[in-house]
Amino acid sequence: MTHTSVGSTARVLGAGLRALLALTLLCGVVYPLAVTGIAQTLFRDRADGSEIKDASGQVVGSSLIGQRYDLPPEKGEESPAPDLRWFQPRPSRGLGTNSVNTRYELILSGATNRSGDDEELIGWVKAAKAAVVKDNSTATYTVRPDDVPPDAVTSSGSGLDPHISPAYAALQVHRVADRNGLAVRKVEHLVEEHTTGRLLGFLGEPRVNVLELNTALRDAVRG
């Protein structure tokens, strides 16, 4: 190899190394810092994970991910029973054939992928409807099967939906009020305060964020 070839190779390697360092600095340091700075300035809440805080300022979760509200599981129990003091979210089923994502675990995110006439899915829906009727009926308020909205007995596409319909929230009002010793009208007012309408007045459906609603409920109970 001639002296000229060695010098040429050295220049190419040097140029490549400089390009590597420059791109590493630009793409690995400057760009992330710029994007993070803009996000923290303009979209701080969403950039930090859309956190929800209670009245004391403690983070209780994200408005983007649903949660379960269950009693502590008993020994040998496959899935814990719902804690009926709280508004309950949609059912959450995992990707497995028979798996039920009772705790909204991210690793099980997904739909049931069952057709509408699948016998097992129909069985799930019937059992869920019977449970909703039973759990939400009180001594002074009876839930009829026809009162149960679809989202009370079916999971969302992701299985992690943080919202329920205003109809499902309204169906739970009497039970929540009774279990927490609150006036029905007070609980209805909480639901109204946490109901979000359609985007721009025509996109999507009205919805209630369960975590936000239960956080407000807990603050109301603590009084």
Side-chain angles (χ1 to χ4, degrees):
M1 182 180 290
T2 66
H3 181 72
T4 302
S5 298
V6 173
S8 178
T9 300
R11 285 195 299 273
V12 171
L13 291 176
L17 181 59
R18 289 193 297 273
L20 174 62
L21 293 175
L23 289 173
T24 299
L25 180 63
L26 178 63
C27 299
V29 179
V30 177
Y31 177 75
L33 288 177
V35 171
T36 300
I38 293 172
Q40 289 292 323
T41 301
L42 301 179
F43 313 105
R44 185 178 183 84
D45 177 63
R46 281 179 282 179
D48 289 340
S50 299
E51 296 173 339
I52 294 178
K53 299 179 181 180
D54 60 17
S56 67
Q58 180 180 357
V59 176
V60 295
S62 170
S63 63
L64 303 177
I65 302 295
Q67 295 185 17
R68 289 288 304 175
Y69 294 85
D70 297 321
L71 295 170
E74 298 182 1
K75 186 176 181 180
E77 193 176 39
E78 290 187 4
S79 58
D83 188 340
L84 299 180
R85 294 175 301 165
W86 308 104
F87 285 91
Q88 293 296 313
R90 298 182 66 166
S92 181
R93 295 194 178 275
L95 292 172
T97 303
N98 297 310
S99 63
V100 180
N101 188 8
T102 56
R103 290 192 173 278
Y104 279 68
E105 296 176 356
L106 300 181
I107 195 171
L108 295 178
S109 172
T112 57
N113 295 324
R114 301 298 184 93
S115 64
D117 60 356
D118 181 86
E119 292 185 2
E120 191 169 19
L121 177 61
I122 293 173
W124 285 341
V125 170
K126 287 183 177 179
K129 178 176 282 191
V132 169
V133 169
K134 177 184 177 183
D135 290 345
N136 290 282
S137 294
T138 68
T140 58
Y141 179 77
T142 301
V143 176
R144 301 173 302 170
D146 291 344
D147 296 332
V148 181
D151 63 304
V153 296
T154 57
S155 61
S156 63
S158 68
L160 302 173
D161 193 343
H163 300 100
I164 58 176
S165 67
Y168 187 26
L171 182 146
Q172 301 183 63
V173 162
H174 287 264
R175 182 254 300 161
V176 170
D178 181 68
R179 297 274 177 158
N180 289 284
L182 298 173
V184 170
R185 182 55 197 148
K186 183 177 182 64
V187 180
E188 288 177 337
H189 183 62
L190 289 176
V191 172
E192 292 168 0
E193 285 186 328
H194 293 85
T195 298
T196 303
R198 292 180 173 87
L199 181 64
L200 301 178
F202 67 93
L203 294 175
E205 295 294 331
R207 58 203 180 278
V208 179
N209 188 290
V210 181
L211 177 57
E212 291 180 354
L213 177 58
N214 277 336
T215 301
L217 172 64
R218 183 172 62 180
D219 293 337
V221 171
R222 290 175 174 176

